[in-house]
Amino acid sequence: MQDIQQHMARMMDDYMFDEDLKTLLRSCMSDNETSSLSWSKVTLCTHAMLGGGSPDIHRRAALTELVVLILDIVDDLQDQDSDSKPWMRVDTASALNAVLALMIGVIGELGRINASGTMLVEISKIIARSINGQHKDVINAVSTVDDYLWMTQEKSGSLFRLACFLGYFDTACTEGTVEQLHQIADCVGLLHQIQNDVRDLVRYDEKSDLMAKKRTLPILYLLSIEDEVFSPVKAYYRGEITAELFAEKEDEVKQLIQDSGCLEYARIVQTVCMQKAEEIWAELPALSPWKEEFRTLTWGDFVKQGVEVEQA
């Protein structure tokens, strides 16, 4: 995995000469989520389980990490949260320069590995799909559960599609296998996003989805309940209660969340997503032990949680 970190650093060193900018870029790439290389591991594992043997696979895995990092930075700049992140501790202009620098590094590296026109088109389509989903999230376009599921598959599922694509592109896998991987990726994207939404529902800080009037899966369930006791939440979303007044009802609202069943509903949807991923994965024509490792990397934590619930 050290090869991947070296490739990421080299991509920046090849094109960026300003020391202050390079320091910021190194800080961004050293962030906990990026330094774990979880996305690149999916690319490597996908490549191995489909019999790949490309000498450029570690460079492609590094590209996976950088593209996801770019989208993470843009997401945080749009939401203006995650204050602890390196790109949020600098002025917006500097953070945008970091985004541009990372983009140039990615484009340059694609040229260095002689990416084909087909590869470039497919990468562009996958990233564009994620951006479309992200825009729906930014403008709060979601109003129904179906809207949420589609938006999340676009926004989050596409990231897993990208990690898989950079692994399977030059292997001998069939169109059917590609479709299986894309379906699994969308399921995994939903699993992780719903987990984030559950976490961000029960908090009252800068990442609170309720305070931001977002319509996530558990919140949509909460807003659908026809009971007067849930009127404070609905009134806040209609603009009839100010953020300051709603914040004062923190204890009351947290109790409403626990009583509503919205958290249980979110977990049921997660279970359905996991079951679908498991069914598709079982039929996936892939090599061991990488096939099992792929499952562990992408939704293994949710499998463990499910086992623990059953045992309880």
Side-chain angles (χ1 to χ4, degrees), residues 8-9 12 25-31 34-35 66 69 102:
M8 291 167 64
M12 297 302 102
L25 291 169
R26 284 193 288 268
S27 179
C28 292
M29 291 188 292
S30 297
D31 178 67
T34 303
S35 62
L66 290 188
L69 177 58
L102 291 166

Side-chain angles (χ1 to χ4, degrees), residues 1-13 29-30 33-47 54-67 69 102 109 163 166 297:
M1 303 308 287
Q2 187 177 1
D3 287 349
I4 295 172
Q5 293 171 323
Q6 290 173 347
H7 283 307
M8 291 167 64
R10 176 187 50 75
M11 281 185 239
M12 297 302 102
D13 290 340
M29 291 188 292
S30 297
E33 290 185 19
T34 303
S35 62
S36 68
L37 302 177
S38 56
W39 293 98
S40 58
K41 290 174 184 175
V42 175
T43 296
L44 293 174
C45 194
T46 301
H47 193 68
S54 171
D56 290 329
I57 189 56
H58 284 84
R59 297 172 75 169
R60 279 155 47 184
L63 286 170
T64 302
E65 289 291 343
L66 290 188
V67 172
L69 177 58
L102 291 166
E109 189 69 2
L166 286 168
L297 287 171

Side-chain angles (χ1 to χ4, degrees), residues 28-265:
C28 292
M29 291 188 292
S30 297
D31 178 67
N32 287 339
E33 290 185 19
T34 303
S35 62
S36 68
L37 302 177
S38 56
W39 293 98
S40 58
K41 290 174 184 175
V42 175
T43 296
L44 293 174
C45 194
T46 301
H47 193 68
M49 74 178 182
L50 295 176
S54 171
D56 290 329
I57 189 56
H58 284 84
R59 297 172 75 169
R60 279 155 47 184
L63 286 170
T64 302
E65 289 291 343
L66 290 188
V67 172
V68 173
L69 177 58
I70 290 168
L71 295 174
D72 278 347
I73 294 174
V74 172
D75 180 68
D76 287 343
L77 290 173
Q78 290 170 339
D79 291 345
Q80 283 298 299
D81 57 13
S82 301
D83 292 344
S84 64
K85 297 294 184 180
W87 48 87
M88 298 304 294
R89 297 200 302 266
V90 298
D91 58 274
T92 302
S94 295
L96 288 173
N97 275 337
V99 169
L100 292 172
L102 291 166
M103 288 174 61
I104 292 301
V106 168
I107 294 169
E109 189 69 2
L110 286 168
R112 285 178 181 271
I113 64 173
N114 296 315
S116 67
T118 300
M119 184 181 189
L120 294 174
V121 168
E122 289 305 312
I123 290 173
S124 298
K125 285 181 178 179
I126 294 170
I127 296 175
R129 182 176 184 256
S130 181
I131 294 171
N132 276 286
Q134 174 66 11
H135 187 66
K136 290 174 184 176
D137 189 25
V138 166
I139 64 173
N140 214 5
V142 170
S143 59
T144 67
V145 170
D146 283 345
D147 289 342
Y148 170 89
L149 295 175
W150 184 246
M151 179 272 290
T152 302
Q153 288 176 83
E154 288 180 333
K155 176 184 173 181
S156 303
S158 295
L159 301 183
F160 286 96
R161 285 192 180 200
L162 177 69
C164 291
F165 172 79
L166 286 168
Y168 71 64
F169 175 71
D170 59 352
T171 66
C173 68
T174 65
E175 289 185 10
T177 300
V178 169
E179 181 58 28
Q180 286 176 307
L181 287 169
H182 284 185
Q183 289 184 36
I184 289 174
D186 284 351
C187 289
V188 174
L190 279 166
L191 274 169
H192 286 271
Q193 187 59 54
I194 293 171
Q195 190 75 3
N196 291 342
D197 292 343
V198 167
R199 180 196 64 205
D200 293 341
L201 174 62
V202 295
R203 60 196 300 170
Y204 258 73
D205 55 17
E206 77 280 356
K207 288 186 69 67
S208 169
D209 285 342
L210 269 178
M211 294 301 297
K213 294 184 179 179
K214 290 189 175 183
R215 288 180 170 83
T216 63
L217 186 68
I219 291 176
L220 285 168
Y221 183 90
L222 196 64
L223 293 172
S224 71
I225 300 174
E226 297 294 338
D227 190 319
E228 187 64 25
V229 73
F230 296 96
S231 59
V233 178
K234 296 181 181 181
Y236 176 61
Y237 270 70
R238 290 195 298 263
E240 298 168 3
I241 296 178
T242 65
E244 292 76 13
L245 183 58
F246 189 67
E248 293 175 2
K249 298 177 178 290
E250 177 178 349
D251 292 338
E252 176 186 347
V253 172
K254 284 185 175 179
Q255 190 59 52
L256 287 177
I257 291 170
Q258 295 298 327
D259 296 342
S260 68
C262 68
L263 301 179
E264 290 78 7
Y265 170 71

